[in-house]
Amino acid sequence: MIVAPSLLSADFARLADDVEMLERSRAQWLHCDVMDGVFVPNISFGFPVIKAVAALTDKPLDVHLMIVDPGRYVGQVRDAGAMMMNVHYEACTHLHRTIQSIHGAGMKAAVTLNPATPVALLRDIIQDLDMVLLMSVNPGFGGQSFIRHTLDKIRELRQLISLAGSDTLIEVDGGINRATGAECVQAGADVLVAGSAVFGAQDPEAEIAALATL
Ligand code: DX5
Ligand code: ZN
């Protein structure tokens, strides 16, 4: 399993220490949650913080943009050091163009679906996507509980991907811990994002290792 701990639950006053812990851990990617206070009812951090994190780690950054019109920021996301740029389906009027421009900037492209957005809407774009992120909570906050219907969406997305003959990864984000993570893996997920389960654990490195071996 690819584990991508979410920095949203890190200690921002000691971010370098937390990134150093992630660097030692079995986490493969670092998940960065950008919120604009418009697309979601919360504000987190932006490009200067991502740039500072990128300077402290060799691990790829998975940048999840919970912002309106994310296509306007492709250059800034690339310059901040992202490997993967995640845009919400609900925030893009011209999704195909946005995906093309993410690829044109040399990044991997992912589309994120809110809990109420059907997987079937991706049928005509799935071939172009490196990853689909299924939100298993309503975006905006860490520490919420896992929406169980996500398991059906993972299975449906797995089918859509194999029908298309594509190698798109499936990532799940929100309320992931050892129990819900195991269910996601069984349903067909490739990447688990975890915030509070990792940073709220007594031993965050051990928690990451447990998720990585699910
Ligand atoms: C929620 C963010 C998540 C968040 C997950 O809007 O996209 O990445 O950090 O936090 P947990 O794992 O605590 O649900
Ligand atoms: Zn996220």
Side-chain angles (χ1 to χ4, degrees):
M1 282 312 288
I2 297 178
V3 180
S6 165
L7 290 175
L8 191 63
S9 296
D11 181 347
F12 291 155
R14 293 193 166 73
L15 198 49
D17 294 346
D18 281 350
V19 173
E20 197 180 297
M21 177 278 291
L22 295 174
E23 196 62 13
R24 284 192 309 265
S25 78
R26 291 184 61 178
Q28 294 200 34
W29 302 345
L30 273 54
H31 184 84
C32 303
D33 289 301
V34 177
M35 303 179 186
D36 66 355
V38 180
F39 181 71
V40 289
N42 198 8
I43 297 177
S44 56
F45 52 77
F47 306 125
V49 173
I50 295 175
K51 218 176 229 174
V53 169
L56 295 171
T57 182
D58 290 329
K59 299 196 179 185
L61 301 185
D62 169 30
V63 177
H64 176 196
L65 296 161
M66 287 160 273
I67 65 174
V68 296
D69 212 356
R72 291 170 57 205
Y73 299 98
V74 171
Q76 285 182 74
V77 174
R78 190 246 345 260
D79 293 347
M83 171 276 292
M84 177 82 74
M85 177 164 167
N86 254 300
V87 298
H88 267 261
Y89 181 88
E90 304 83 8
C92 296
T93 310
H94 299 287
L95 184 62
H96 187 271
R97 178 182 295 151
T98 302
I99 298 304
Q100 275 184 319
S101 85
I102 294 171
H103 282 148
M107 291 180 285
K108 303 251 187 216
V111 170
T112 308
L113 300 184
N114 276 337
T117 305
V119 162
L121 288 172
L122 296 178
R123 197 195 63 192
D124 295 316
I125 189 98
I126 195 77
Q127 303 261 21
D128 299 314
L129 303 181
D130 299 294
M131 187 168 80
V132 174
L133 167 51
L134 295 175
M135 287 308 301
S136 39
V137 298
N138 285 295
F141 305 92
Q144 305 179 77
S145 27
F146 182 79
I147 297 171
R148 298 198 56 80
H149 176 62
T150 313
L151 297 170
D152 295 330
K153 292 179 76 175
I154 296 172
R155 286 186 277 265
E156 192 186 338
L157 179 56
R158 185 44 71 207
Q159 258 186 329
L160 184 74
I161 291 169
S162 65
L163 268 175
S166 123
D167 52 8
T168 312
L169 296 171
I170 301 178
E171 180 177 50
V172 190
D173 183 8
I176 299 295
N177 53 38
R178 294 182 196 205
T180 55
E183 291 185 279
C184 291
V185 173
Q186 232 188 354
D190 304 295
V191 186
L192 298 176
V193 175
S196 48
V198 166
F199 289 97
Q202 287 275 28
D203 183 348
E205 266 188 80
E207 204 56 36
I208 292 167
L211 293 170
T213 46
L214 284 177

